[in-house]
CSV table of all heavy atoms in Angstrom, one decimal:
chain,number,residue,atom,x,y,z
A,35,LEU,N,2.1,17.0,-9.9
A,35,LEU,CA,2.6,18.2,-9.3
A,35,LEU,C,2.4,18.2,-7.8
A,35,LEU,O,1.4,17.5,-7.3
A,35,LEU,CB,1.9,19.4,-9.9
A,35,LEU,CG,2.1,19.7,-11.4
A,35,LEU,CD1,1.2,20.8,-11.9
A,35,LEU,CD2,3.6,20.0,-11.6
A,40,LEU,N,-3.2,10.9,-6.6
A,40,LEU,CA,-3.1,9.6,-7.3
A,40,LEU,C,-3.9,8.5,-6.6
A,40,LEU,O,-4.0,8.6,-5.4
A,40,LEU,CB,-1.7,9.2,-7.5
A,40,LEU,CG,-0.8,9.9,-8.5
A,40,LEU,CD1,0.7,9.4,-8.4
A,40,LEU,CD2,-1.3,9.6,-9.9
A,43,SER,N,-3.5,1.0,-7.4
A,43,SER,CA,-4.2,-0.2,-7.3
A,43,SER,C,-3.3,-1.4,-7.2
A,43,SER,O,-2.1,-1.3,-7.7
A,43,SER,CB,-5.1,-0.4,-8.6
A,43,SER,OG,-6.1,0.6,-8.7
A,86,ALA,N,1.3,9.4,6.4
A,86,ALA,CA,0.2,9.1,5.5
A,86,ALA,C,-1.1,9.4,6.1
A,86,ALA,O,-2.1,9.6,5.3
A,86,ALA,CB,0.2,7.6,5.1
A,97,ALA,N,-14.2,-8.5,-3.8
A,97,ALA,CA,-14.9,-9.1,-4.9
A,97,ALA,C,-14.1,-8.9,-6.2
A,97,ALA,O,-14.2,-9.7,-7.1
A,97,ALA,CB,-16.3,-8.4,-5.1
A,103,LEU,N,-4.9,2.5,-2.8
A,103,LEU,CA,-4.3,3.5,-2.0
A,103,LEU,C,-4.6,4.9,-2.7
A,103,LEU,O,-4.1,5.2,-3.7
A,103,LEU,CB,-2.8,3.4,-1.8
A,103,LEU,CG,-2.2,4.4,-0.8
A,103,LEU,CD1,-2.7,4.1,0.6
A,103,LEU,CD2,-0.6,4.3,-0.9
A,116,TYR,N,6.2,2.5,-4.8
A,116,TYR,CA,5.2,2.0,-3.9
A,116,TYR,C,4.9,0.5,-4.2
A,116,TYR,O,4.6,0.1,-5.3
A,116,TYR,CB,3.9,2.8,-4.0
A,116,TYR,CG,4.0,4.2,-3.4
A,116,TYR,CD1,4.8,5.2,-3.9
A,116,TYR,CD2,3.3,4.5,-2.2
A,116,TYR,CE1,4.9,6.4,-3.3
A,116,TYR,CE2,3.4,5.7,-1.6
A,116,TYR,CZ,4.2,6.7,-2.1
A,116,TYR,OH,4.4,7.9,-1.5
A,127,ASN,N,1.7,-5.1,11.6
A,127,ASN,CA,1.4,-4.9,10.2
A,127,ASN,C,2.3,-3.7,9.6
A,127,ASN,O,2.3,-3.6,8.4
A,127,ASN,CB,0.0,-4.6,9.9
A,127,ASN,CG,-0.5,-3.4,10.7
A,127,ASN,OD1,-0.2,-2.3,10.5
A,127,ASN,ND2,-1.4,-3.7,11.7
Side-chain angles (χ1 to χ4, degrees):
L35 296 172
L40 281 174
S43 298
L103 185 68
Y116 284 70
N127 56 70

